[in-house]
Amino acid sequence: MTLISVGIVTNQDQNTHENKIRVAYFPNISHAIPIVGIEKGFFSNHIGSDIDIQPILFDSGPQVIESIFAGSVDIAYVGPGPAINAFLKSEQHDVKILSGAASGGVSFIVHPKSEIKSVADFAGKRIAAPQIGNTQDISLRTFLSDNGLKPAEKGGSVIVLNTGNSDIYILFAKGDIDGAWVPEPTATILVQQLGGTRLFNENELWPENKFATVVLIAKEEYVNSHPEIIQKWLEAHQQTADWINSNKEETRTIFIDFMKNEMGKSLPVELIDESLSNLEITSDPIVSSIDTIAKRADSLGYLGRHGYNLDGLFFDKNSNSQSQEVLVNNDQT
């Protein structure tokens, strides 16, 4: 399976993709379903030989959403934050969550030379998280607010640095940050390779220790135009999730080979194992957590000034429609 280069994909073949499905995902362990499902042939077996599966690797959610809007990606695995933003910003609210893909797998990691022992020590510290509006950024800023803290740009004492995971690694290695709120495998890399301490897993802050970190999305137009492909994809998606949860060692091997073949490098076995242990691979989108993420994003000012409505965000697999209703914000005045 040949991968297209990482990054934003232009709409160069929009009119000639009827015999292919273009799938966006990240080269991360939390995206194990598309990685394993494609490498093991689960998706191709369900879709059939007449449809070419064209994987496209990305390294940020906003890039994925831009490519979906450009019509150059058909379905995508992204975090809930970008998925919510895409739904609200699309012209007819026609970006749908088709399924969950992963839960958990996010931690707050403290630098070995930092004095952070608890949230009481956050004041005056430099803390990193991925892009503004990213799911981890939303969680970090909400955590600060819940504990009576504010980021520096809001008049508080906590300096929040928003940057990519690779840059967070560099900042952590240089000692330029006190901690980082990051997903796997970055969290475990900071622990195993740079001596960081996992102060807590984010799932400890959620009901039943569950919250969506990766979901599968698509534009409604593609779903309605290709119902059989979507149905078969979702069947393979579920089969892959079940297989991963029963075959952790082989999942690790597949991920190692994938990273070597497609990225030119891989990660140590013990690092992948710990990263996997902090994740739950699941097709459950954990609707209540996405509801909460939207509320938090709105309170941070990320969803505009006029409230928001998430009715129709979730695709109903049984009726091939988006009839499932979710939260309507009470403050839409």
PDB file of all heavy atoms in Angstrom, residues 90-103:
ATOM      1  N   SER A  90     -18.576  23.723   8.567  1.00  0.00           N
ATOM      2  CA  SER A  90     -19.018  23.293   7.240  1.00  0.00           C
ATOM      3  C   SER A  90     -20.334  23.987   6.897  1.00  0.00           C
ATOM      4  O   SER A  90     -21.147  24.309   7.776  1.00  0.00           O
ATOM      5  CB  SER A  90     -19.186  21.774   7.191  1.00  0.00           C
ATOM      6  OG  SER A  90     -20.085  21.320   8.181  1.00  0.00           O
ATOM      7  N   GLU A  91     -20.561  24.233   5.616  1.00  0.00           N
ATOM      8  CA  GLU A  91     -21.687  25.055   5.177  1.00  0.00           C
ATOM      9  C   GLU A  91     -23.035  24.514   5.645  1.00  0.00           C
ATOM     10  O   GLU A  91     -23.900  25.256   6.089  1.00  0.00           O
ATOM     11  CB  GLU A  91     -21.674  25.173   3.648  1.00  0.00           C
ATOM     12  CG  GLU A  91     -20.519  26.016   3.118  1.00  0.00           C
ATOM     13  CD  GLU A  91     -20.600  26.190   1.623  1.00  0.00           C
ATOM     14  OE1 GLU A  91     -21.589  25.729   1.019  1.00  0.00           O
ATOM     15  OE2 GLU A  91     -19.676  26.796   1.054  1.00  0.00           O
ATOM     16  N   GLN A  92     -23.240  23.229   5.546  1.00  0.00           N
ATOM     17  CA  GLN A  92     -24.516  22.624   5.920  1.00  0.00           C
ATOM     18  C   GLN A  92     -24.364  21.692   7.119  1.00  0.00           C
ATOM     19  O   GLN A  92     -25.167  20.794   7.305  1.00  0.00           O
ATOM     20  CB  GLN A  92     -25.091  21.846   4.716  1.00  0.00           C
ATOM     21  CG  GLN A  92     -25.287  22.665   3.466  1.00  0.00           C
ATOM     22  CD  GLN A  92     -26.320  23.755   3.661  1.00  0.00           C
ATOM     23  OE1 GLN A  92     -27.306  23.574   4.386  1.00  0.00           O
ATOM     24  NE2 GLN A  92     -26.116  24.905   3.019  1.00  0.00           N
ATOM     25  N   HIS A  93     -23.330  21.913   7.924  1.00  0.00           N
ATOM     26  CA  HIS A  93     -23.026  20.992   9.029  1.00  0.00           C
ATOM     27  C   HIS A  93     -22.965  19.560   8.509  1.00  0.00           C
ATOM     28  O   HIS A  93     -23.568  18.639   9.075  1.00  0.00           O
ATOM     29  CB  HIS A  93     -24.076  21.103  10.140  1.00  0.00           C
ATOM     30  CG  HIS A  93     -23.967  22.374  10.923  1.00  0.00           C
ATOM     31  ND1 HIS A  93     -24.827  22.696  11.947  1.00  0.00           N
ATOM     32  CD2 HIS A  93     -23.088  23.411  10.849  1.00  0.00           C
ATOM     33  CE1 HIS A  93     -24.491  23.875  12.459  1.00  0.00           C
ATOM     34  NE2 HIS A  93     -23.434  24.322  11.797  1.00  0.00           N
ATOM     35  N   ASP A  94     -22.236  19.384   7.415  1.00  0.00           N
ATOM     36  CA  ASP A  94     -22.256  18.098   6.717  1.00  0.00           C
ATOM     37  C   ASP A  94     -21.013  17.246   6.949  1.00  0.00           C
ATOM     38  O   ASP A  94     -20.760  16.302   6.201  1.00  0.00           O
ATOM     39  CB  ASP A  94     -22.468  18.308   5.211  1.00  0.00           C
ATOM     40  CG  ASP A  94     -21.372  19.158   4.577  1.00  0.00           C
ATOM     41  OD1 ASP A  94     -20.554  19.728   5.322  1.00  0.00           O
ATOM     42  OD2 ASP A  94     -21.350  19.248   3.334  1.00  0.00           O
ATOM     43  N   VAL A  95     -20.236  17.555   7.999  1.00  0.00           N
ATOM     44  CA  VAL A  95     -19.155  16.662   8.402  1.00  0.00           C
ATOM     45  C   VAL A  95     -19.688  15.808   9.548  1.00  0.00           C
ATOM     46  O   VAL A  95     -20.169  16.350  10.549  1.00  0.00           O
ATOM     47  CB  VAL A  95     -17.904  17.439   8.849  1.00  0.00           C
ATOM     48  CG1 VAL A  95     -16.858  16.495   9.430  1.00  0.00           C
ATOM     49  CG2 VAL A  95     -17.319  18.208   7.674  1.00  0.00           C
ATOM     50  N   LYS A  96     -19.638  14.494   9.399  1.00  0.00           N
ATOM     51  CA  LYS A  96     -20.246  13.585  10.355  1.00  0.00           C
ATOM     52  C   LYS A  96     -19.207  12.697  11.041  1.00  0.00           C
ATOM     53  O   LYS A  96     -18.228  12.276  10.427  1.00  0.00           O
ATOM     54  CB  LYS A  96     -21.268  12.669   9.653  1.00  0.00           C
ATOM     55  CG  LYS A  96     -22.294  13.408   8.818  1.00  0.00           C
ATOM     56  CD  LYS A  96     -23.124  14.364   9.663  1.00  0.00           C
ATOM     57  CE  LYS A  96     -24.100  15.163   8.809  1.00  0.00           C
ATOM     58  NZ  LYS A  96     -24.816  16.177   9.606  1.00  0.00           N
ATOM     59  N   ILE A  97     -19.431  12.415  12.315  1.00  0.00           N
ATOM     60  CA  ILE A  97     -18.647  11.395  13.006  1.00  0.00           C
ATOM     61  C   ILE A  97     -19.292  10.049  12.729  1.00  0.00           C
ATOM     62  O   ILE A  97     -20.457   9.823  13.064  1.00  0.00           O
ATOM     63  CB  ILE A  97     -18.584  11.666  14.522  1.00  0.00           C
ATOM     64  CG1 ILE A  97     -17.771  12.940  14.799  1.00  0.00           C
ATOM     65  CG2 ILE A  97     -17.974  10.470  15.261  1.00  0.00           C
ATOM     66  CD1 ILE A  97     -17.680  13.313  16.271  1.00  0.00           C
ATOM     67  N   LEU A  98     -18.541   9.155  12.111  1.00  0.00           N
ATOM     68  CA  LEU A  98     -19.051   7.845  11.739  1.00  0.00           C
ATOM     69  C   LEU A  98     -18.851   6.816  12.845  1.00  0.00           C
ATOM     70  O   LEU A  98     -19.631   5.870  12.973  1.00  0.00           O
ATOM     71  CB  LEU A  98     -18.360   7.337  10.467  1.00  0.00           C
ATOM     72  CG  LEU A  98     -18.370   8.250   9.254  1.00  0.00           C
ATOM     73  CD1 LEU A  98     -17.666   7.574   8.079  1.00  0.00           C
ATOM     74  CD2 LEU A  98     -19.786   8.631   8.867  1.00  0.00           C
ATOM     75  N   SER A  99     -17.770   6.981  13.616  1.00  0.00           N
ATOM     76  CA  SER A  99     -17.432   5.976  14.621  1.00  0.00           C
ATOM     77  C   SER A  99     -16.346   6.514  15.534  1.00  0.00           C
ATOM     78  O   SER A  99     -15.650   7.478  15.190  1.00  0.00           O
ATOM     79  CB  SER A  99     -16.935   4.692  13.938  1.00  0.00           C
ATOM     80  OG  SER A  99     -16.534   3.718  14.892  1.00  0.00           O
ATOM     81  N   GLY A 100     -16.178   5.895  16.666  1.00  0.00           N
ATOM     82  CA  GLY A 100     -15.014   6.148  17.486  1.00  0.00           C
ATOM     83  C   GLY A 100     -13.846   5.315  16.989  1.00  0.00           C
ATOM     84  O   GLY A 100     -14.020   4.415  16.166  1.00  0.00           O
ATOM     85  N   ALA A 101     -12.636   5.621  17.471  1.00  0.00           N
ATOM     86  CA  ALA A 101     -11.462   4.838  17.089  1.00  0.00           C
ATOM     87  C   ALA A 101     -10.512   4.606  18.261  1.00  0.00           C
ATOM     88  O   ALA A 101      -9.791   3.610  18.287  1.00  0.00           O
ATOM     89  CB  ALA A 101     -10.709   5.504  15.933  1.00  0.00           C
ATOM     90  N   ALA A 102     -10.489   5.537  19.221  1.00  0.00           N
ATOM     91  CA  ALA A 102      -9.617   5.358  20.386  1.00  0.00           C
ATOM     92  C   ALA A 102     -10.129   6.195  21.543  1.00  0.00           C
ATOM     93  O   ALA A 102     -10.736   7.253  21.353  1.00  0.00           O
ATOM     94  CB  ALA A 102      -8.173   5.737  20.061  1.00  0.00           C
ATOM     95  N   SER A 103      -9.871   5.701  22.753  1.00  0.00           N
ATOM     96  CA  SER A 103     -10.204   6.417  23.983  1.00  0.00           C
ATOM     97  C   SER A 103      -8.954   6.519  24.844  1.00  0.00           C
ATOM     98  O   SER A 103      -8.149   5.589  24.901  1.00  0.00           O
ATOM     99  CB  SER A 103     -11.304   5.667  24.754  1.00  0.00           C
ATOM    100  OG  SER A 103     -11.456   6.178  26.062  1.00  0.00           O
TER     101      SER A 103
END
